[in-house]
């Protein structure tokens, strides 16, 4: 009995199959145990195995969050190279990741896949008041080349780089979200945390993988929010780190490569400090659009939407609001309306606190309407935050911009 093997001891064949599956090596004799749908049966491991299309086989628990989300939505437990194994009648799906040359690049690709916007941000063009020229130019740059590619060839080839600059709170990020909502493109929402790594050499690899993913999922849009944090001017500060210079160089090289390909990959960048961007990046961001402070007509439309009143209520002094909010950004106007709406709520809360008893939720009184006195009080307590450098934006637009927006 002492010579008999234990029931928990693996045979060499079982261990060999588990090793091949775990570390992604090629299988010779064990290949027949793996079906076309990526499932493998092993006496030592009964988990489901997914093939990524590169010859690598991964355990379900090792998949990225987005892959598991994508797999659950497709309603299939196993995929091979993005094609569902449920049947041959379904339309083949594009693989989530392109064929990378190494497992390291694939791991970086999985980290960037999570930055793809899943679902619609639900921002329509109509929900952005004013900025008609900005919306028109974005439609020309992103929507029209996809809908009518026949016209955008040769000299009329679409712009691959677009810069939205202007004071904070004027709607640059909302314009980007509207692009993601209205356009049928894969939308990569990238910030500095997405492409900056503490490991040496990983930052520039992340940039390369990002553009490989964008080309794989074309038509796609890469949105770089606060791009001045990623690629500020080079060579001026002696304290600039070597890794930062390599990151900036790789981004410039990848953006330069977009103009030499026919894939519809757009880079949409936004910044509040355009004068801090590197000159080489400004050259690659071919279309530079100023998103200014809202004009009186846009401010009036914002007030009517945020402080809407019924016919039987008191008419609000919209003319006074438009006159007193010169230099306010869209974000400042929202804060002003919120402060005005808080005035009747404060009066109601004061009355409830005097009763010294808890009022049931179904018996709570309604909040009163906003009055002209409330608006005057809100105007005293709210100050604009985006008018300090307005002249610098106008000067930058006259030197480098494409068009002044009204």
């Amino acid at each position: 009995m002492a010579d008999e093997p234990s029931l928990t001891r693996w045979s060499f064949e079982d261990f060999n199959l588990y090793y091949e599956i775990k570390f992604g090596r090629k299988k010779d004799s064990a290949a027949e145990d793996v079906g076309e749908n990526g499932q493998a049966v092993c006496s030592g491991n009964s988990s489901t195995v997914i093939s990524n299309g590169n010859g690598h086989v991964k355990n379900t628990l090792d998949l990225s969050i987005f892959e598991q989300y994508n797999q659950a939505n497709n309603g299939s437990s196993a995929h091979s190279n993005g094609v569902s194994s449920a049947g041959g009648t379904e339309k083949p799906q594009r693989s989530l990741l392109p064929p990378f040359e190494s497992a390291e690049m694939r791991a970086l690709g999985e980290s960037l896949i999570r930055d793809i916007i899943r679902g619609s941000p639900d921002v329509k063009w109509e929900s952005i008041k004013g900025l008609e020229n900005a919306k028109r130019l974005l439609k020309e740059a992103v929507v029209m080349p996809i809908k009518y590619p026949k016209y955008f060839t040769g000299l009329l080839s679409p712009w691959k780089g677009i810069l939205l600059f202007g004071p904070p709170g004027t709607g640059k990020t909302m314009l980007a979200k509207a692009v993601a909502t209205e356009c049928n493109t894969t939308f990569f929402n990238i910030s500095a945390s997405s492409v900056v790594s503490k490991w040496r050499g990983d930052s520039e690899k992340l940039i390369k993988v990002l553009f490989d993913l964008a080309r794989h999922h074309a038509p796609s849009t890469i949105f770089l929010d606060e791009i001045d944090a990623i690629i500020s001017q080079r060579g001026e500060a002696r304290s600039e780190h070597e890794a930062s210079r390599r990151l900036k160089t790789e981004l410039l090289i990848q953006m330069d490569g977009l103009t030499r390909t026919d894939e519809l990959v757009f880079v949409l960048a936004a910044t509040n400090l355009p004068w801090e961007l590197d000159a080489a990046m400004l050259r690659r961001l071919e279309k530079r659009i100023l998103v200014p402070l809202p004009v009186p007509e846009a401010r009036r439309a914002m007030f009517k939407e945020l402080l809407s009143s019924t016919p039987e209520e008191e008419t609000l002094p919209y003319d006074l609001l438009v006159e007193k909010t010169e230099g306010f950004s869209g974000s400042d106007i929202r804060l002003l309306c919120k402060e005005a709406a808080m005035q009747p709520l404060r009066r109601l809360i004061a009355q409830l606190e005097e009763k010294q008893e808890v009022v049931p939720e179904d018996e709570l009184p309604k909040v009163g309407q906003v009055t002209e006195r409330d608006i005057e009080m809100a105007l005293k307590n709210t100050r604009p935050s985006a008018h300090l450098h307005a002249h610098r934006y106008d000067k930058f637009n006259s030197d480098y911009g494409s068009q002044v927006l009204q």
Side-chain angles (χ1 to χ4, degrees):
M1 296 294 291
D3 296 334
E4 293 184 4
S6 173
L7 295 177
T8 60
R9 190 175 299 171
W10 287 9
S11 66
F12 176 79
E13 290 78 14
D14 292 339
F15 175 80
N16 188 38
L17 178 60
Y18 176 80
Y19 185 87
E20 303 290 347
I21 293 174
K22 184 66 177 177
F23 296 95
R25 304 291 181 85
K26 278 192 172 182
K27 299 177 291 297
D28 296 326
S29 61
E32 62 273 8
D33 293 334
V34 182
E36 293 181 355
N37 61 356
Q39 292 183 344
V41 179
C42 175
S43 59
N45 186 6
S46 60
S47 61
T48 302
V49 179
I50 306 298
S51 173
N52 62 10
N54 304 330
H56 299 286
V57 182
K58 296 191 66 179
N59 191 286
T60 307
L61 299 178
D62 295 332
L63 292 177
S64 68
I65 297 175
F66 181 76
E67 284 181 292
Q68 295 182 29
Y69 172 89
N70 187 60
Q71 175 183 336
N73 278 0
N74 289 337
S76 175
S77 61
H79 288 71
S80 176
N81 199 24
V83 181
S84 174
S85 59
T89 59
E90 295 185 3
K91 184 179 178 180
Q93 300 176 358
R94 183 178 302 175
S95 59
L96 191 62
L97 295 173
F100 291 115
E101 63 270 15
S102 65
E104 179 188 7
M105 301 295 279
R106 172 178 162 78
L108 296 176
E110 286 186 357
S111 66
L112 286 174
I113 275 293
R114 301 184 184 99
D115 291 319
I116 294 180
I117 285 188
R118 299 187 293 272
S120 172
D122 196 23
V123 178
K124 304 290 185 182
W125 295 117
E126 296 78 15
S127 61
I128 303 176
K129 305 304 179 184
L131 303 180
E132 297 301 328
N133 282 341
K135 293 185 280 189
R136 176 179 58 82
L137 291 174
L138 285 175
K139 290 177 183 178
E140 289 180 0
V142 181
V143 183
M144 299 306 173
I146 298 174
K147 294 180 65 175
Y148 310 105
K150 177 181 178 181
Y151 301 118
F152 292 87
T153 58
L155 185 62
L156 294 177
S157 58
W159 294 295
K160 296 302 181 71
I162 306 166
L163 175 65
L164 301 175
F165 68 95
T170 52
K172 298 181 291 297
T173 305
M174 284 194 67
L175 286 171
K177 290 181 179 180
V179 171
T181 303
E182 300 289 346
C183 309
N184 294 323
T185 63
T186 308
F187 195 84
F188 292 83
N189 189 18
I190 302 298
S191 61
S193 62
S194 305
V195 294
V196 175
S197 173
K198 66 178 181 179
W199 304 110
R200 179 180 176 86
D202 274 7
S203 295
E204 49 267 36
K205 288 179 183 177
L206 281 167
I207 294 292
K208 183 179 185 301
V209 170
L210 170 62
F211 281 83
D212 288 342
L213 283 172
R215 281 188 283 265
H216 178 68
H217 290 281
S220 57
T221 302
I222 301 174
F223 177 55
L224 300 173
D225 201 3
E226 304 297 342
I227 191 176
D228 54 278
I230 302 175
I231 184 163
S232 56
Q233 295 182 10
R234 297 172 293 172
E236 290 191 357
R238 293 181 178 270
S239 60
E240 185 180 18
H241 196 270
E242 175 194 0
S244 176
R245 292 197 299 270
R246 292 199 310 267
L247 170 65
K248 296 173 184 178
T249 302
E250 183 65 29
L251 180 57
L252 293 173
I253 291 173
Q254 292 296 330
M255 287 196 62
D256 197 41
L258 292 180
T259 59
R260 304 173 185 173
T261 61
D262 294 331
E263 284 122 345
L264 291 176
V265 178
F266 308 95
V267 175
L268 181 60
T271 180
N272 301 325
L273 305 171
W275 45 83
E276 292 190 3
L277 293 179
D278 190 77
M281 175 54 70
L282 288 177
R283 182 186 70 82
R284 287 163 175 82
L285 295 171
E286 305 162 313
K287 197 68 175 176
R288 296 176 287 272
I289 305 172
L290 172 63
V291 183
L293 297 172
V295 295
E297 292 78 8
R299 297 201 299 273
R300 181 183 294 272
M302 292 178 191
F303 285 125
K304 286 186 176 180
E305 180 174 343
L306 295 172
L307 296 175
S308 58
S309 58
T310 57
E312 61 272 9
E313 294 178 346
E314 178 183 352
T315 303
L316 298 178
Y318 294 117
D319 294 334
L320 175 65
L321 285 170
V322 172
E323 179 184 355
K324 295 291 186 179
T325 54
E326 183 69 31
F328 280 59
S329 66
S331 179
D332 297 333
I333 290 175
R334 184 176 182 85
L335 290 177
L336 174 64
C337 295
K338 185 175 182 179
E339 179 66 24
M342 279 296 297
Q343 299 298 328
L345 180 59
R346 291 189 181 113
R347 293 192 294 267
L348 179 60
I349 291 177
Q351 295 175 5
L352 294 176
E353 292 294 328
E354 291 177 356
K355 294 183 178 181
Q356 299 293 330
E357 59 183 10
V358 179
V359 180
E361 185 175 353
D362 55 349
E363 297 180 6
L364 288 174
K366 294 183 179 180
V367 180
Q369 66 176 3
V370 178
T371 62
E372 184 174 356
R373 181 184 178 86
D374 297 333
I375 290 177
E376 293 176 354
M377 184 66 66
L379 286 171
K380 293 179 180 179
N381 298 334
T382 308
R383 294 291 181 270
S385 62
H387 68 293
L388 299 178
H389 301 289
H391 64 284
R392 298 192 66 178
Y393 294 108
D394 294 334
K395 184 179 185 305
F396 183 88
N397 185 64
S398 61
D399 295 338
Y400 302 101
S402 301
Q403 186 172 352
V404 177
L405 302 182
Q406 299 296 334

